[in-house]
Amino acid sequence: MSTRSPLASRPLRSAVPALVGVLLLTGCGARVDGPAADRKVTVNRCGQPVEYTTPHRAVVYEGGSADKMFALGLTEHVHGYVMPPANPPVTESPWAAEYAKVKFLSDDLLNRELVVEAKADFVVAGWRSGFSDQRGITPAILDGLRIQSFMHAESCFNYPGYPERVTPFEGLYTDLERLGRIFGVEDRARSLVDGYRKRVEAVRAQAPEGEQVPVFLYDSGTDKPFTAGSQVPPNDIIRFAGGRNVFAGLDARWTEVTWEAVVKARPEVIIILDYGDKPAREKIEFLKEFPATSKLPAVVNDRFFILDYNEGISGPRTIDGLEKFAAYLRELDR
């Protein structure tokens, strides 16, 4: 699911040439021309203030990064996207038409060579979800190449040197607001965030009363299960809908646990994270046949909820995932 280096402390300055005109907002994108192209603004990248120049050739990694840009009307600023094969097809996205307007760059993990070859002036990804010191692509390395970078706030809690801690949904709002400032579309960002907050509050107002349903998210793994800790969107999806993530006590993003811990938690609902390399139905069959999990309340009662990959990572579609899961919990006969 997710995949680290201290940052250079100096401000970033893009080498993008100035264009001529004014900032025009259209239904399909936000166009930057003229003096606005020279616009500079200081925005936090995790906990580090960074000076950005309006980007024009962004590379985005995975659906969450692309969706944030598209939702803000910034398609014209996106050169292309990197989408590892486990991700669902972009044709299933609410922004499928926007994906079609930009280049598909790779189905591999994000890497420095790809970004340089694309002549990117801006890269959007998460810490250990795209950016990786092991693979040689970090904000610090890109700083040295004069390439601007942006990290999802929900991935910043353990970022070396400049950590930042926000709850996952607040991370989404923070990203939209920061991207709005970088690209000069603050009003659009504010409108999106206000709308998302209202949708979340509507869900919370309808959450079932009484004891919270214990919920286990199953990402993958047979020897040991991979699940969601407190620092990823499913934790907020579960709690806002009226449930309790049985691994909310883990100060982690996507993390490995033991089957013994799952059995001890006795989840009444299991969320299956659905993505390309193993269909959800196969994961459900494994949980039904695996002796350690076959007698869990959720398995015995066939209480499985399938959460799309892009509804489980930081991006606008997490709001859709919340609404769907909340509706599922409200319909449960406990």
Side-chain angles (χ1 to χ4, degrees):
M1 281 284 312
S2 52
T3 45
R4 317 175 186 231
S5 167
L7 291 165
S9 59
R10 59 175 177 74
L12 285 174
R13 298 185 185 274
S14 171
V16 178
L19 303 175
V20 180
V22 294
L23 177 65
L24 300 175
L25 289 179
T26 69
C28 62
R31 182 178 307 216
V32 174
D33 302 305
D38 291 327
R39 181 178 183 275
K40 289 178 169 57
V41 62
T42 298
V43 175
N44 270 19
R45 182 178 64 191
C46 291
Q48 180 192 22
V50 170
E51 185 181 76
Y52 289 92
T53 301
T54 305
H56 297 275
R57 199 173 174 88
V59 168
V60 293
Y61 180 70
E62 290 199 310
S65 300
D67 290 356
K68 289 172 185 176
M69 295 287 285
F70 296 150
L72 286 166
L74 298 171
T75 305
E76 293 184 10
H77 296 263
V78 179
H79 170 65
Y81 63 93
V82 178
M83 199 71 67
N87 286 248
V90 298
T91 52
E92 298 177 3
S93 167
W95 293 280
E98 306 309 304
Y99 277 101
K101 296 174 186 176
V102 302
K103 290 187 178 181
F104 168 63
L105 299 174
S106 175
D107 62 0
D108 198 356
L109 298 176
L110 188 67
N111 63 76
R112 179 175 50 185
E113 291 75 17
L114 181 154
V115 168
V116 170
E117 185 177 341
K119 298 182 172 62
D121 63 358
F122 190 62
V123 181
V124 184
W127 182 240
R128 300 183 184 172
S129 298
F131 294 121
S132 165
D133 48 9
Q134 288 89 350
R135 287 186 289 101
I137 181 165
T138 67
I141 289 171
L142 294 182
D143 285 355
L145 297 173
R146 316 294 285 181
I147 299 172
Q148 303 178 111
S149 61
F150 181 93
M151 282 190 290
H152 304 305
E154 62 91 19
S155 72
C156 291
F157 79 104
N158 62 353
Y159 181 58
Y162 301 96
E164 178 180 46
R165 184 177 291 270
V166 294
T167 58
F169 272 40
E170 286 298 326
L172 168 62
Y173 309 148
T174 297
D175 290 344
L176 293 170
E177 290 165 350
R178 287 176 176 172
L179 287 168
R181 290 184 60 205
I182 291 170
F183 287 92
V185 292
E186 290 95 332
D187 289 346
R188 174 63 173 158
R190 191 176 303 112
S191 177
L192 277 177
V193 171
D194 288 347
Y196 293 151
R197 286 187 184 276
K198 288 176 183 177
R199 289 170 64 185
V200 170
E201 287 310 308
V203 167
R204 298 184 74 172
Q206 300 177 72
E209 296 181 358
E211 187 178 353
Q212 295 175 320
V213 181
V215 180
F216 165 57
L217 182 140
Y218 181 46
D219 174 301
S220 59
T222 54
D223 292 337
K224 290 185 176 182
F226 209 54
T227 190
S230 64
Q231 299 298 317
V232 284
N235 189 67
D236 280 0
I237 288 175
I238 294 167
R239 69 188 184 97
F240 291 159
R244 174 177 59 83
N245 176 9
V246 297
F247 292 110
L250 296 179
D251 191 24
R253 299 185 70 222
W254 304 97
T255 188
E256 214 173 47
V257 294
T258 65
W259 287 117
E260 290 80 6
V262 175
V263 171
K264 183 178 180 180
R266 294 187 57 78
E268 296 180 19
V269 171
I270 295 177
I271 295 177
I272 304 293
L273 193 66
D274 189 25
Y275 52 97
D277 54 356
K278 190 169 186 178
R281 58 180 173 76
E282 292 185 15
K283 296 179 185 180
I284 292 172
E285 286 306 310
F286 167 74
L287 293 173
K288 288 182 174 181
E289 295 171 2
F290 186 46
T293 55
S294 62
K295 297 296 190 292
L296 290 175
V299 177
V300 171
N301 295 309
D302 203 32
R303 289 179 171 174
F304 297 100
F305 177 84
I306 297 174
L307 183 69
D308 182 82
Y309 181 84
N310 284 297
E311 295 171 347
I313 64 173
S314 182
R317 282 185 264 180
T318 57
I319 310 296
D320 302 328
L322 167 63
E323 291 172 336
K324 293 172 187 177
F325 183 62
Y328 174 83
L329 280 192
R330 289 196 299 269
E331 294 169 3
L332 279 183
D333 179 13
R334 295 186 70 199

